[in-house]
Amino acid sequence: MTRTLLVAGTASHVGKSTVAAGLCRLLADRGVDVAPFKGQNMSNNARVVVRPDADGQPNSEQGSEGIDQWGEIGVSQFVQARAARTTPTTDCNPVLLKPRGDGESQLVLQGEAHEHVPAGAYYEEYWERAREAAEESYRRLAADNDVIVAEGAGSIGEINLHDRDLANVETARFADADILLLVDIERGGAFASLYGTIELVPDALRERIVGALITKFRGDPSLLEPGIEEIESKTGVPILGVLPYDDPGLPEEDSVSLPDTEERGVVGDDDGVPADRRVRIAVPRLPRISNATDLEALAAEPGVSVVYVPVDGNAADPLEGVDADAVVLPGTKNTVDDLLALHDAGFADALAAFDGPIVGVCGGYQLLGERITNAALEGTGEDDVVEGLGLLPVETRFEGDKRLEQTTVPVDGDASPLLEGATGHASGYEIHAGRTRALEDVSRPLGDSSAASGRILGTYLHGLFDNASVRTAFLDHVAQTAGIDRPSREDTTASSMTADGTGSTPSDRAARLVGEHVDLAALGEPFQEC
């Protein structure tokens, strides 16, 4: 019989994704068939994965049942499936809500995109259908695995949502799941939050809580012992571990961790590389930014600062004072409305005057073009044509269908100075609704789904900078044009090593964090073997 453990929380961002990934890796490394699951997720950081057939097996092509091969899920479940050493499928995250602003989200059921719906309409018209999809996906995963590590969403103690809480309450019910409850002590009030949450969960679920973890602790854990003893006495729930504050390097699930749209923020500047050896990459903080995880591979490089620049219209020149050496336009859930926001904030003139490299990824590629047609299909306005930033001679037309595909493209470093020296292939995924065509001759350094002209490059390939050849070539070009002596590739390689001189992945580090600080034996079989 499949064992299901629901990793729930007292709030958002308490470490659920990290603990779930760590448990998946620990179990997988001991030969346990394990899969991640999140019944309902809200995120614009998605990944393209295969959709299973009726028997739960990944589709290798368009099936006889008419099921498209590709679908989309939240990035955390994609990463957790990789941590579990299993193929990520849409069953890992059967319900995905992708916010696009104005209180609406696109509903994605078992990988297939549906309507944009307001929150009220979702619960009134789609929730039962979403619950059926979640339970169906769970059953398929459970049939093929010994353990399901399910991740909750937000707080399991939201009493206003208990009758429609798919990720927490309903998952615990239909999966007959044990519950591991996480509380973040960094914010303060951890014991009160833990006590209140346990009191507020439905009675039947309270009995399923097998333990709790205190996360993000800085200092001497012995200082918590009196509080731990009292909270265990008051609730009957054992504290199974205190996790120190640590970032294994897993991708962020949503944009909450990014700077606010009205604030400038820098990521990656804490690696000890002096300012005169750093390159600074400006990223407009689009109001509806999506797949911002594309920037994480750049920010993780020694000597690279990713600077998120407000798109608020409060500066005559939004790039003034940023000292940017390059600009990357990220993806967006609503290209048209974010394009209008860029115009209002003065980015069209600022980017035209900028003389460094500019890259647009997916929605960012569409923004760079001359115009967008059939724009009313994408945006919230009624204009059919919206002028682009005018930096690439391309035009994007929006259509009703969405392109979803994992893909590998040839890399032609000779076709763009931004990728000079890059060779081979680059792998990633495409997830977009528009179709882009060239209005005049352009080079194609990354296959047909790209266009380049001079210092400008646009591509539909998400995960572009995860490819070392592309990332290195781009950063070398940025540094060269800016006259910066950035750290060598040897320095970069050394920085990825652990203290004992061996390399490790974010999933390995999450597993180590969990394995060293959690009483896994208290969770019973098969966790006690980890």
Side-chain angles (χ1 to χ4, degrees), residues 21-289:
L23 290 171
C24 284
R25 176 52 56 90
L26 287 169
L27 291 169
D29 283 351
R30 281 149 185 81
V32 177
D33 289 331
V34 56
F37 178 79
K38 187 165 186 173
Q40 177 181 304
N41 200 351
M42 177 172 281
S43 174
N44 274 329
N45 287 339
R47 291 292 184 273
V48 174
V49 299
V50 293
R51 301 180 68 192
D53 58 24
D55 296 325
Q57 301 305 308
N59 276 306
S60 59
E61 58 186 19
Q62 178 79 21
S64 58
E65 301 174 32
I67 299 176
D68 289 335
Q69 179 184 3
W70 304 111
E72 51 185 311
I73 64 173
V75 64
S76 288
Q77 282 61 63
F78 175 86
V79 170
Q80 290 160 12
R82 292 292 180 86
R85 305 192 191 281
T86 189
T87 301
T89 73
T90 54
D91 279 343
C92 296
N93 178 204
V95 182
L96 177 62
L97 296 169
K98 305 185 72 176
R100 72 161 188 167
D102 299 317
E104 287 189 346
S105 296
Q106 184 177 47
L107 175 61
V108 180
L109 292 179
Q110 293 179 326
E112 182 180 0
H114 292 267
E115 300 88 346
H116 290 94
V117 296
Y122 167 68
Y123 287 114
E124 292 173 5
E125 302 174 23
Y126 296 94
W127 191 82
E128 287 297 334
R129 183 178 172 190
R131 187 194 184 283
E132 291 174 1
E135 185 168 3
E136 178 184 57
S137 289
Y138 169 81
R139 299 296 178 201
R140 279 198 293 258
L141 287 176
D144 290 333
N145 291 278
D146 301 318
V147 177
I148 303 297
V149 177
E151 180 186 343
S155 171
I156 196 174
E158 301 289 1
I159 54 178
N160 57 312
L161 294 175
H162 277 172
D163 62 338
R164 51 189 177 179
D165 183 351
L166 184 49
N168 295 302
V169 176
E170 292 302 316
T171 293
R173 287 172 174 164
F174 65 62
D176 193 24
D178 294 322
I179 300 172
L180 181 63
L181 185 59
L182 275 57
V183 60
D184 171 6
I185 200 169
E186 185 186 33
R187 307 180 186 200
F191 291 115
S193 180
L194 186 61
Y195 182 82
T197 300
I198 293 171
E199 286 295 307
L200 291 176
V201 298
D203 292 343
L205 267 63
R206 190 179 304 118
E207 298 172 357
R208 296 179 181 274
I209 301 175
V210 296
L213 300 180
I214 297 173
T215 65
K216 303 184 182 180
F217 180 70
R218 304 172 191 258
D220 182 359
S222 66
L223 298 175
L224 299 178
E225 290 176 0
I228 288 175
E229 291 176 4
E230 186 164 352
I231 199 72
E232 290 180 335
S233 174
K234 287 181 177 293
T235 65
V237 175
I239 304 299
L240 302 184
V242 177
L243 275 63
Y245 188 96
D246 191 11
D247 180 9
L250 297 169
E252 294 290 347
E253 186 171 46
D254 51 42
S255 61
V256 174
S257 61
L258 298 180
D260 188 76
T261 55
E262 298 179 356
E263 299 177 359
R264 182 182 298 176
V266 183
V267 181
D269 62 344
D270 55 355
D271 55 16
V273 177
D276 62 352
R277 297 191 66 192
R278 307 191 66 81
V279 297
R280 292 172 62 85
I281 299 174
V283 178
R285 174 51 171 97
L286 303 176
R288 301 156 190 86
I289 191 171

Side-chain angles (χ1 to χ4, degrees), residues 3 27 147 178 520-529:
R3 172 92 186 271
L27 291 169
V147 177
D178 294 322
L520 296 172
L523 296 176
E525 291 284 352
F527 297 94
Q528 65 187 36
E529 303 299 326

